[in-house]
Amino acid sequence: MSGTKQVVSYDEVHQQVREYVLGLVGVSELDGDRELITEHVVDSVAAIQMVDFVERTFGIEVEDEDLELANFNTVNGLTRLVAEKLRLS
Amino acid sequence: MSASVVDVLKWLRHGDFPDRADHWEQAGAVDAQGVREAADAGLLGLTVPRRYGGDGWSLPEVVEVHRTMAGFSPSLQSLLVVHSMVCQAVLRWGRSDLRELVLPELAAGTKIAAFALTEAESGSDIRSLRTTLAERDGEILVTGRKRWISFGELADVFLVFGMSDGGGSCALVPAGAGQRVSPEPPTTGLRASRLADIEFDATPTSANLAVGRPGFGVPHVATSCLTLGRVLVAAAAVGVAQAAVELATAHAAQRQVGGVALGDRQLVRGLLAEASILAEAAWAMVRAAAERVEERDPEAATAAGRAKVLAARAVSVATDHASRVLGAAGLAEGHRLTRLSQAARTYQVIEGPNEVLLDLVGADLLRREAATRQGGDR
Ligand SMILES: Cc1cc2nc3c(=O)[nH]c(=O)nc-3n(C[C@H](O)[C@H](O)[C@H](O)COP(=O)(O)OP(=O)(O)OC[C@H]3O[C@@H](n4cnc5c(N)ncnc54)[C@H](O)[C@@H]3O)c2cc1C
């Protein structure tokens, strides 16, 4: 998949996800556990953008079993999902 | 069923398709046979991958067909839009067993799908849905009323959006028991698209027909479907705009007014030129947006919104200008241009009204501005 980068660590995943979400929300700080979707911090378009972003950036495929709100609702949740799929610890 | 782009375009432009399309629009209804023929030509499976029996075309190829078809039958094109949106929902968000179960039938067009999102109290704002999807014992009970559902009168299955305990959700609901389907009063544009008002009264559907997990139907499934729908409707708007430019140019070339051909008048040439420039610009944008959607680019949704706004503007200007160039003849009821103008008006509203999309694009600009500013602080 184009745009796929070789990511080596959990921290790097976290950093990239965080940067992306900060850009989407337009803020410089954001708690990693802040509820993005359920508290309407991001709009519906941004909710999809987050899925597209992690798929493209980390070369993973989000499947039905990954569709738990906990995986997409926070920066920490997204990071954990990507790390799990990439088998990072 | 596997069709080539060239074959399909030939089928649309030649043979009796233009006449039949004309007949549906005049009669105010695409008939079941018309739908069947479209299915037989492979048109209902264009976006579905070959492994599920579809044509597996890329979106930049698909928009070509939508553009061409809308020039003849904006109504049949709208069937392709909603059917593709449902295919997309299942393909991207459905479980693998659901994909295996329903995509082959949808691709072959043996089942026709409609997209049931809008409610009387919830049009452009999809967060305020009142329909409920209540899951219990392997079943989902759907209760609520959906309005203006394209091809709702003919559909075999509806993708219904509503609220469940887990948030915004959606599920496929087969047409039949526990629902009342009534025709909507015809709209001026897309008047042959068999719009229906559908009441679901604790209609049962299998929990296996849920698309995506609870909480993902809205926003994720709905938004990704609408993004696709916006690109396809934008392609249709371009097709209608180009058809209007063609009609106006042909008329200007032969019509004599005061001993001078209309086409020799600079003001008339200006009208044609402006309409054509807008239509071509919109087409370039539609193709670019189609590529982004195909690549699942995170910017796809905004690109689709931008393309839809420009295409809606192009079709509005083009049909307006064409109507002036054709004069009285083009204003007659039943004239092709009248239908194109009516479709143009509808395109300002469906798949996201202009104002809603402008808001989406403007919000994106401001977010980027804020991010750039904040980025400096980090
Ligand atoms: C021919 C046709 C076919 C359709 N097919 C389907 C279908 O198959 N499935 C389906 O679910 N729905 C369908 N619809 C419904 C369509 O999607 C809605 O009409 C559309 O979403 C707009 O909703 P509304 O009509 O309730 O307008 P409203 O939401 O009431 O908006 C009315 C107007 O208010 C303005 N407005 C709204 N929001 C904002 C905002 N945020 N900022 C500024 N201005 C705003 C806009 O000018 C807008 O046009 C169809 C409609 C038509 C006409």
Side-chain angles (χ1 to χ4, degrees):
Chain A
M1 199 175 280
S2 65
T4 305
K5 297 195 190 90
Q6 278 304 318
V7 179
V8 284
S9 73
Y10 190 96
D11 285 347
E12 261 176 298
V13 172
H14 184 261
Q15 180 64 16
Q16 286 194 42
V17 169
R18 186 171 165 278
E19 288 282 331
Y20 186 72
V21 174
L22 286 176
L24 274 184
V25 183
V27 294
S28 62
E29 264 312 317
L30 194 68
D31 190 297
D33 287 322
R34 179 77 197 273
E35 292 182 15
L36 303 169
I37 295 173
T38 42
E39 287 188 11
H40 300 317
V41 176
V42 297
D43 62 15
S44 54
V45 166
I48 291 278
Q49 286 179 304
M50 294 195 295
V51 182
D52 289 339
F53 172 77
V54 295
E55 287 194 329
R56 264 174 68 120
T57 308
F58 304 107
I60 60 173
E61 191 158 341
V62 171
E63 283 156 294
D64 181 73
E65 62 262 26
D66 307 319
L67 295 182
E68 292 293 341
L69 205 50
N71 288 338
F72 293 91
N73 209 15
T74 64
V75 168
N76 289 345
L78 265 172
T79 306
R80 273 192 299 273
L81 172 71
V82 174
E84 221 168 82
K85 295 220 141 215
L86 295 178
R87 296 176 205 290
L88 304 173
S89 50
Chain B
M1 173 69 45
S2 187
S4 83
V5 183
V6 176
D7 286 346
V8 169
L9 291 177
K10 227 187 254 172
W11 181 75
L12 289 175
R13 291 207 185 100
H14 309 291
D16 66 350
F17 181 79
D19 287 342
R20 298 175 43 75
D22 210 49
H23 169 75
W24 299 325
E25 300 291 331
Q26 299 256 25
V30 174
D31 52 27
Q33 197 202 335
V35 172
R36 175 102 321 279
E37 283 172 22
D40 290 345
L43 294 178
L44 294 174
L46 296 181
T47 55
V48 177
R50 282 170 189 250
R51 60 172 292 225
Y52 298 111
D55 297 304
W57 289 13
S58 72
L59 201 53
E61 293 173 308
V62 172
V63 290
E64 194 75 58
V65 170
H66 282 256
R67 174 176 71 136
T68 305
M69 179 180 283
F72 299 111
S73 178
S75 299
L76 186 61
Q77 187 271 341
S78 75
L79 168 65
L80 264 51
V81 174
V82 293
H83 191 83
S84 311
M85 284 161 78
V86 177
C87 291
Q88 151 89 2
V90 174
L91 188 62
R92 171 130 198 224
W93 305 99
R95 288 180 324 278
S96 63
D97 56 321
L98 184 68
R99 295 200 292 264
E100 305 286 350
L101 180 70
V102 300
L103 285 175
E105 289 176 328
L106 294 180
T110 46
K111 288 245 164 84
I112 300 300
F115 185 82
L117 177 63
T118 305
E119 299 174 2
E121 305 297 326
S122 169
S124 26
D125 177 19
I126 60 171
R127 279 178 177 171
S128 51
L129 295 178
R130 292 190 180 174
T131 295
T132 55
L133 272 63
E135 184 167 352
R136 74 176 67 108
D137 307 329
E139 244 186 13
I140 300 173
L141 297 181
V142 180
T143 305
R145 183 169 176 189
K146 296 292 182 181
R147 298 292 309 273
W148 301 291
I149 305 309
S150 299
F151 286 87
E153 278 194 280
L154 294 183
D156 302 293
V157 60
F158 304 103
L159 179 61
V160 183
F161 291 82
M163 300 308 291
S164 70
D165 288 342
S169 302
C170 62
L172 293 170
V173 180
Q179 49 196 262
R180 204 160 62 92
V181 178
S182 351
E184 290 278 4
T187 46
T188 48
L190 275 54
R191 58 199 294 265
S193 59
R194 311 299 297 268
L195 290 183
D197 169 345
I198 306 165
E199 284 181 80
F200 297 95
D201 183 11
T203 311
T205 191
S206 161
N208 292 330
L209 294 180
V211 181
R213 301 281 176 98
F216 283 84
V218 182
H220 295 83
V221 183
T223 306
S224 76
C225 290
L226 287 171
T227 295
L228 173 68
R230 281 167 190 160
V231 172
L232 298 178
V233 168
V238 169
V240 169
Q242 289 174 329
V245 172
E246 273 172 35
L247 280 178
T249 309
H251 184 78
Q254 55 80 27
R255 169 82 170 159
Q256 302 277 324
V257 176
V260 181
L262 274 188
D264 285 335
R265 308 230 179 237
Q266 277 197 334
L267 287 176
V268 172
R269 292 185 190 196
L271 290 177
L272 299 176
E274 192 185 16
S276 165
I277 289 166
L278 273 171
E280 294 310 312
W283 182 231
M285 231 172 156
V286 169
R287 284 214 301 224
E291 268 168 31
R292 284 187 186 250
V293 173
E294 180 75 25
E295 291 164 12
R296 290 203 190 172
D297 184 322
E299 302 308 318
T302 354
R306 285 168 175 264
K308 160 82 186 357
V309 170
L310 183 62
R313 186 143 307 163
V315 76
S316 174
V317 169
T319 50
D320 226 43
H321 285 7
S323 154
R324 286 225 287 301
V325 172
L326 265 75
L331 292 169
E333 218 175 285
H335 191 282
R336 183 163 171 228
L337 182 58
T338 305
R339 284 205 308 277
L340 298 178
S341 304
Q342 289 167 339
R345 233 184 304 148
T346 310
Y347 293 144
Q348 312 302 312
V349 173
I350 58 169
E351 247 49 62
N354 295 345
E355 293 73 22
V356 170
L357 297 179
L358 286 169
D359 191 52
L360 183 152
V361 173
D364 181 61
L365 291 175
L366 287 159
R367 213 160 38 207
R368 283 166 191 278
E369 211 285 322
T372 318
R373 207 159 8 92
Q374 305 289 359
D377 299 345
R378 281 203 291 272

